[in-house]
């Protein structure tokens, strides 16, 4: 009787063992469309940024303009982008007393859809689709608190994760770019 139970177990498990290699051999064209997009990692991320102030004293404000330029021969139809404080800025806030806050995105108060309060980051609001060779921008405005620490080495800088699709979603590119903010200097 024991031998029969063992044979039944083998018969039940054998199809599962054989199905693994067969499922792994599914052709690439049968994969879901979101996995079929070709990554273009060899291309740089076409995002630039500029701050309107190199230095900002406590109580002042500065605006960062982030620009996306389409380097492809087809429109960019989808963009996901966040802008978050850099690690150096995080440590300045945590240990040095640097204080700043976002006040506007594209000229609207921070309650606009540009914000992403769940991650403490801001998301981009680009005008899409973006034609080949065209550019689009958005702005982020920040205020340095009047009682913020200031001095050499204290700065508000950011980094941005960018993911975008072109060729009607058949190709994409993504990566990180630095976003320069401002140095917080004492008056």
């Amino acid at each position: 009787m024991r031998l029969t139970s063992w044979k039944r177990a083998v018969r039940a498990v054998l199809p599962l063992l054989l199905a693994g290699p067969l499922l792994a051999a599914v052709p690439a064209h049968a994969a879901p469309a979101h996995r079929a997009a070709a990554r273009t990692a060899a291309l740089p991320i076409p995002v630039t940024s500029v701050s309107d102030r190199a230095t900002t004293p406590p109580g002042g404000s500065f605006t960062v303009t982030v620009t996306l330029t389409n380097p492809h021969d087809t429109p960019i139809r989808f963009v996901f982008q966040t802008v978050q404080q850099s690690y150096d800025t995080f440590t300045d806030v945590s240990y040095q007393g640097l204080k700043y806050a976002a006040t506007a995105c594209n000229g609207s108060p921070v309650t606009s859809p540009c914000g992403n309060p769940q991650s403490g980051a801001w998301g981009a609001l680009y005008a899409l689709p973006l034609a080949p060779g065209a550019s689009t921008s958005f702005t982020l405005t920040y205020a340095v608190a009047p009682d913020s620490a200031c001095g050499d080495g204290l700065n508000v800088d950011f980094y941005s994760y960018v993911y975008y699709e072109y060729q009607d979603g058949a190709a994409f590119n993504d990566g990180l770019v630095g976003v320069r903010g401002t140095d917080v200097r004492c008056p």
Side-chain angles (χ1 to χ4, degrees), residues 9-77:
V10 169
R11 285 185 192 141
V13 173
L14 189 60
L16 295 173
L17 293 173
L18 293 175
L22 291 174
L23 291 175
V26 173
H29 68 274
H34 69 280
R35 293 181 181 243
R39 182 175 184 169
T40 55
L43 294 176
I45 303 299
V47 171
T48 58
S49 63
V50 63
S51 176
D52 67 340
R53 297 182 60 128
T55 62
T56 304
S61 65
F62 65 98
T63 298
V64 175
T65 302
V66 181
T67 303
L68 170 68
T69 302
N70 184 352
H72 306 287
D73 58 359
T74 62
I76 291 177
R77 298 202 179 272

Side-chain angles (χ1 to χ4, degrees), residues 8-182:
R8 284 185 185 164
V10 169
R11 285 185 192 141
V13 173
L14 189 60
L16 295 173
L17 293 173
L18 293 175
L22 291 174
L23 291 175
V26 173
H29 68 274
H34 69 280
R35 293 181 181 243
R39 182 175 184 169
T40 55
L43 294 176
I45 303 299
V47 171
T48 58
S49 63
V50 63
S51 176
D52 67 340
R53 297 182 60 128
T55 62
T56 304
S61 65
F62 65 98
T63 298
V64 175
T65 302
V66 181
T67 303
L68 170 68
T69 302
N70 184 352
H72 306 287
D73 58 359
T74 62
I76 291 177
R77 298 202 179 272
F78 176 79
V79 177
F80 173 81
Q81 180 177 1
T82 62
V83 178
Q84 302 175 84
Q85 68 183 358
S86 69
Y87 179 75
D88 287 341
T89 298
F90 169 78
T91 58
D92 289 347
V93 168
S94 299
Y95 304 110
Q96 302 296 325
L98 178 65
K99 297 178 186 176
Y100 75 98
T103 58
C105 179
N106 285 340
S108 299
V110 292
T111 56
S112 74
C114 218
N116 181 358
Q118 293 173 333
S119 68
W122 289 70
L125 279 181
Y126 290 120
L128 296 175
L130 185 60
S135 295
T136 183
S137 299
F138 71 100
T139 60
L140 300 167
T141 302
Y142 298 89
V144 179
D147 63 340
S148 174
C150 58
D152 289 338
L154 291 179
N155 52 44
V156 180
D157 287 327
F158 307 94
Y159 74 93
S160 179
Y161 171 73
V162 182
Y163 170 92
Y164 68 93
E165 295 178 356
Y166 60 101
Q167 293 180 354
D168 290 328
F172 72 93
N173 196 6
D174 70 337
L176 296 173
V177 293
V179 176
R180 181 74 174 110
T182 191

